[in-house]
Amino acid sequence: MRVERLNEPIRVRADFAGGTVTPLAVARGTQSLRVLRVNARWSDRQGKERLHYFACTVPSGDVYELCLNAHDLTWRLTSVMLEG
């Protein structure tokens, strides 16, 4: 498995139900990928900003690490673990 470190803005469709955020789909450039599974979620702080991270498996088997900035509600793709 190879890891690519990134820091690119992305569009994410997510469910905000019951106080929990769950990514459903990721749009990267012209590519749209369904999230099959959220493998892990954790939170961190950067100064006063609260960051929520999600490790998500997409149909190719790759794992996308997504970051939601709770202050400005923007999403970033922080890394991709490529299968094979």
Side-chain angles (χ1 to χ4, degrees):
M1 194 169 277
R2 187 183 68 181
V3 177
E4 287 184 13
R5 298 284 175 209
L6 305 165
N7 186 25
E8 68 181 60
I10 54 168
R11 295 182 320 277
V12 175
R13 188 166 44 101
D15 181 25
F16 290 80
T20 303
V21 181
T22 303
L24 303 173
V26 177
R28 185 179 183 201
T30 60
Q31 185 180 35
S32 182
L33 301 166
R34 188 169 50 102
V35 172
L36 297 178
R37 181 176 56 250
V38 177
N39 306 314
R41 56 181 82 219
W42 65 98
S43 296
D44 199 1
R45 288 197 178 275
Q46 187 174 34
K48 291 186 178 190
E49 295 181 357
R50 184 103 169 138
L51 305 174
H52 300 282
Y53 290 90
F54 306 86
C56 302
T57 300
V58 297
S60 65
D62 297 340
V63 177
Y64 281 40
E65 185 180 283
L66 311 176
C67 177
L68 170 63
N69 183 320
H71 176 72
D72 60 11
L73 298 179
T74 57
W75 289 88
R76 299 194 80 73
L77 176 60
T78 57
S79 70
V80 178
M81 286 185 277
L82 301 167
E83 185 66 31

